[in-house]
Amino acid sequence: MSMLEVETDMLGRPVELYYEDVGYGFPVVLTNGWLLDHNMWEHQVADLLDKGCRVITYDRRGFGQSSQSQGSYNYNRFADDLALLLQGLDLNDVTLVGYSMGVGEVVRYMARHLGQRVGRLALVSGVAPSLVRSPTNPDGVDESVLEKMEADIRDDRYEFSSWFADQLFEGDGEPAVSDATKRWIQAQTRHVSTEGMLAGIQLCRETDFTEELRAIINIPSLVVHGSNDHLAPIAATGDRLAKALPDSVYRVYDDAPHGLFVTHAQELSSDLVELVKTPPNVTLPAARV
């Protein structure tokens, strides 16, 4: 449990990232999703440790226990913070795992920092290449949905967090998780700055990673998405992401919601372990779609 200083703000105060570094062996770095923090990965951390990995989780700036730095919530900053973390811990041949908003962070890192220190890549429930509806993404989320989310956050961010916890695990059948698990998710959202919450929506609105995905070449890559994802619909995100990375392995989890790190925890852990043990520039086994 440590803090890494990544810069100072305009008043000279340190901007720090909270991270946890546990275990020995193959290094795996996991980035958190929008509104969540490093705790979201507790199932995967335990499984990866059991398989001989060194696991590093951290909170994006403005999230969890990391600093809330005004006016600095953008993908360039996030990617630079990630670069400083990998450098500060002197990590090499890293399996880098992005989830949801964190997928954008990882893609920007690969393009902006040329994939330095990274040996394998996992993109889980991602918002890339883009989330919003457009001529090139007709299945994307409508602008009116984003506008309502922004209004609801400004009106009552805690009620919005309750809605988010529901949507994270929303499916077509019975509730996928217990009320206690939803409360666990809501507890994570309390530590996100309001500015960080709103910035995440704006980033989804204005960012398209199509060109940056071209930087991901000659590296074992895994794309994971749930077929029943209500927050990042698979046709708008996962399907297009896998197509943009033709050499990647694409795992579609049947009936899985956006929060598959909980509902399909063991399956995700198994796929991540399989990826970690893949030698560089070696093709993974055939996709399970």
Side-chain angles (χ1 to χ4, degrees):
M1 302 179 185
S2 304
M3 303 294 287
L4 174 72
E5 184 174 329
V6 291
E7 66 172 357
T8 55
D9 64 16
M10 295 179 63
L11 298 178
R13 297 171 299 193
V15 176
E16 297 178 313
L17 297 183
Y18 175 86
Y19 71 92
E20 296 188 0
D21 180 1
V22 293
Y24 303 90
F26 305 105
V28 182
V29 175
L30 302 108
T31 72
N32 58 289
W34 182 62
L35 301 192
L36 304 174
D37 62 29
H38 70 281
N39 289 295
M40 64 164 284
W41 293 114
E42 67 172 38
H43 297 293
Q44 287 71 43
V45 169
D47 291 335
L48 288 165
L49 288 175
D50 284 345
K51 298 299 182 180
C53 296
R54 175 184 176 186
V55 186
I56 298 93
T57 55
Y58 71 101
D59 295 338
R60 181 183 302 108
R61 62 169 65 204
F63 293 67
Q65 298 180 57
S66 291
S67 299
Q68 297 187 8
S69 54
Q70 186 176 4
S72 64
Y73 300 111
N74 59 74
Y75 277 118
N76 283 347
R77 288 281 194 184
F78 299 155
D80 292 349
D81 288 349
L82 175 56
L84 288 171
L85 179 70
L86 299 184
Q87 178 182 337
L89 297 179
D90 194 24
L91 301 174
N92 292 289
D93 196 26
V94 170
T95 298
L96 183 57
V97 183
Y99 169 80
S100 191
M101 179 181 177
V103 167
E105 191 171 328
V106 165
V107 172
R108 179 61 55 86
Y109 173 82
M110 296 299 290
R112 184 173 171 87
H113 293 276
L114 306 179
Q116 296 178 40
R117 300 177 179 269
V118 177
R120 293 155 211 83
L121 204 60
L123 308 174
V124 182
S125 301
V127 297
S130 60
L131 182 64
V132 297
R133 184 172 298 164
S134 68
T136 58
N137 189 20
D139 297 304
V141 174
D142 191 80
E143 170 64 22
S144 63
V145 175
L146 301 184
E147 290 176 353
K148 186 177 188 311
M149 291 170 67
E150 289 173 327
D152 289 347
I153 289 170
R154 291 189 173 97
D155 181 57
D156 187 340
R157 55 172 282 171
Y158 301 105
E159 178 63 26
F160 178 83
S161 295
S162 177
W163 173 87
F164 173 77
D166 287 338
Q167 289 297 301
L168 195 65
F169 305 113
E170 181 70 21
D172 294 332
E174 294 297 319
V177 300
S178 66
D179 288 341
T181 295
K182 292 180 182 180
R183 289 194 295 271
W184 171 64
I185 292 295
Q186 287 180 260
Q188 294 180 47
T189 69
R190 295 192 186 104
H191 301 288
V192 184
S193 68
T194 299
E195 182 185 358
M197 295 175 80
L198 293 170
I201 296 175
Q202 182 60 26
L203 288 174
C204 285
R205 177 183 284 125
E206 67 186 16
T207 311
D208 188 324
F209 293 98
T210 301
E211 292 302 316
E212 291 172 87
L213 286 166
R214 300 180 190 278
I216 301 176
I217 56 174
N218 298 324
I219 182 172
S221 301
L222 172 68
V223 176
V224 175
H225 217 94
S227 66
N228 207 10
D229 190 326
H230 289 193
L231 290 173
I234 189 170
T237 54
D239 289 348
R240 295 174 63 231
L241 180 57
K243 185 176 181 179
L245 300 174
D247 294 329
S248 67
V249 168
Y250 187 25
R251 311 279 202 229
V252 176
Y253 292 178
D254 191 34
D255 295 327
H258 195 64
L260 53 76
F261 60 93
V262 173
T263 62
H264 293 64
Q266 187 57 59
E267 189 171 358
L268 178 58
S269 293
S270 296
D271 280 336
L272 291 179
V273 168
E274 185 176 342
L275 176 65
V276 167
K277 295 185 177 181
T278 303
N281 300 321
V282 172
T283 303
L284 290 164
R288 297 197 303 268
V289 178

